[in-house]
Structure formats: C-alpha cells, structure tokens
Amino acid sequence: MKETSTAKIHLLGLSKAELTEHILEFGMPKFRAAQILEWIYKKRAAGFEQMTNLSLGDRQLLADKFEIFTSKLVRNVTSTDGTEKILLQWPDGVDGTGGLTETVMIPCDDDQADEYGNTTVAHRRTACLSTQVGCPVQCAFCASGLEGLKGNLTAGQVIEQALRLTHNLPIERRLSNIVFMGMGEPLANFNVTVAAIRTLMAEWAFHISGRKITLSTVGLPPQMKKFADLEIPVNLAISLHAPNDQLRKQIIPWAEKISIDQLIDAGRYYFEKTGRELTLEYIMLDSAGGGVNTLPEHARQLATIAKQLRANVNLIYYNEVPDLSFKRPSGQTVFSFQNVLRAAGVNAHIRKSRGRDVAAACGQLARQDRKERLAQGFVQIGTPEKNQDE
Ligand code: SF4
C-alpha cells in the first residue's frame, strides 16, 4: 500500500539511522532522533505536540515533515476472553477494499508455556500482525484469501499495527510477543517483513526478543533460505495444514508448485543457520462429509514430517467462516489426533481457541465489515470507498 496520502514521511517506517539522516537534513541536532523515538515507542506520544522537551519550532517542523499514525481505526472489538481485534483502514483505499487490515492482541495472564516454549513471560500480550491486505495464497479455508491480494503493506504500516495495540494497553504493560499470522504471506512481502522485525527487536523501539517473535509462512523455500541467511533469531512456523502433497494442493493453491519435501529441505536449512526449532502449524478441518485432514492416517503422516524436521506441531481448531464449507472438528477428534502424534514422539500442542465471538478467523472481521458496509451502501466495488464520517 502507498506509504501515506500526502508527501509526509511515515515515521514508523524508519530505522533510527534513517530518521537521523532526515533530522540532520532538516537542520535539527542529531540527538533529536533519539528523543523522538523515545517519545514514540517508550512514552507513547501520539503526536509531535506532546514532545514537550523539543522546541516549539522543532515540533512544528516535525509535524510538517512526518506522520506517526496514518490509518483510520474502523473497528475495535474485544472478545469475552479479552482478545482484542482492530480493523485499520489505510489512506489509499482506491481498490474498493478500503485497504482494511486486521490486527489482533491476545492476552494471557498465566505463566504457562505457550506453544513456542516461552515460559518466562506471565501476562503475555501477543500481537498478531498483518503484512498484506488480503492474501495471494488463497487457502481454501481462509477468509483473508477469499478475495486474493489487494496490496502489500509498508514496514511503517506493520509497525503502526503494533503501536496501535500498544496504545490500547495500560502504560505498565507492553507487547511481549509478536506473531506474523495475520492477513498475508509475510515472506511474499520480504523486505517489509524484515524491516518490521528489526524495528520490533530494536532497543530504541519495541525491544522484543527474537525468541518472542514468530514468523509464520505457508512455505516459500527460496525466501525461507534467504531469511535464514540473515540469521535473525526469530521462530519460524510453517503453515503445513496437510500431511501429504495431494491433500495440501487441495487446500493451499501454492502447494501446486511447492512440495512438502522442498519445505523440509528449507526448514532444515533454517534450523542449521539459526539454531531455532521450527513449528508446524496445522489447522484441523472437518467437512459435512467427515474429516478433511483430521484422520488417524493424517496424524501418522504428519508425525513423519515433524520428526524429519525435528519440529513441534501446533494443532489449531478451525474457526468457521461464513460462505465456506469447512467445519470445526470436535474436541475428541483433535485430542485423538494429538495422541497419535505424541505416541509417535512428536511434541504436539493444541492451541487455545481465542476470540471466537469477534470473528476470530483471519480476515473474517474485514470481510464482515465490508459486507455490512456494502449492505449500507458505503462501498462500491471498484471505486474509492466513502468515508463513514462524511
Ligand atoms: S491461511 Fe494464511 S496464507 Fe492462507 S490465505 Fe489465509 S492468510 Fe493467506
């Protein structure tokens, strides 16, 4: 997506070095960059006027040159379990989508290990970030993929999602974990994803350890290897969702060109380069006719892959999407599947199902919002979306 609707620079897309360059170019002292970053990322200033240790002239100059928040908050819904979902609209909604992006904050107030082995953070606040509007992969079960890719987000727009969620937290709380599991395929927007991860990890910004950041990919072997070569120590999760190529092709169109063997090869490369264990994500899907990928033989096939990769497995309950025929399996089905994996020596977790009452499935809130606004006449496909405030 375009950075902003004006010529202003989106400050959240800049590294400290890039901001410093601009600050010097605009005739301000070099130390202003550190002051500005502290105001934005530590003190949560939403505007330059709040930066009271800067001269009035510099505050005005900054406001003339830069933007901090560029999106419009369209919806902010909180589930009964505390999961918070926000829907952001970016300025260039010219494709008729309104450039809607979903971002989720998942709270957890116990000190149980999560599925990535993090045991040290009680009161986790996990942000689930999007890297694209819509998704090019078009998995058969996913609301984000239903209408394909609408556009790539910028690094500033990815960081803006995290900062929006941070502003919703009490000042003594911060985001503790990040998962790139929102709309889009992060490795298909490679440079943006890498830049955003660097800002999330940077001491001058969010200062989140790589161990608490998980990048989830449907599996693009060349990009996985390129990412491994950067040796950024974050967790990598592969969205496998099917234990053999034949079934995977039926539910993930990109699997036509990418075999599970290629994923295993790239996954091993990632482990060798970074030393970080991999996780296999597996959405449990049923249909009216029975199990899609939930049968015992699927579990045995999945166990073989997990052992080849020395990977953990996350089993995820499907959140049903209106218009799609996939069903959520029963608890018994999921537990039995987990037992087969565990009996084969695989570390398999069942991921807690969160936020079901707030359109929890990825892309579902954006889709629901569009439908409602279409019904109200707010959106015309193929033309710029009218602002609801008009
Ligand atoms: S499940 Fe992930 S990769 Fe597949 S369409 Fe949805 S967002 Fe894209």
Side-chain angles (χ1 to χ4, degrees), residues 28 32 48-64:
M28 285 180 260
R32 278 280 179 271
F48 296 106
E49 72 284 354
Q50 295 171 12
M51 302 182 183
T52 47
N53 59 350
L54 275 59
S55 70
L56 278 174
D58 279 359
R59 280 186 249 170
Q60 187 56 55
L61 182 59
L62 289 167
D64 290 342

Side-chain angles (χ1 to χ4, degrees), residues 84-147:
E84 190 179 344
K85 198 159 195 174
I86 59 176
L87 194 59
L88 300 177
Q89 183 176 15
W90 304 103
D92 63 343
V94 290
D95 54 9
T97 65
L100 292 172
T101 299
E102 288 185 12
T103 304
V104 183
M105 199 276 295
I106 306 147
C108 180
D109 285 316
D110 61 38
D111 57 0
Q112 301 294 302
D114 69 10
E115 53 269 42
Y116 305 103
N118 295 312
T119 53
T120 51
V121 184
H123 309 298
R124 279 192 301 276
R125 294 292 177 271
T126 301
C128 177
L129 304 181
S130 295
T131 51
Q132 297 181 306
V133 176
C135 183
V137 184
Q138 297 191 280
C139 297
F141 53 83
C142 175
S144 291
L146 272 175
E147 290 163 49

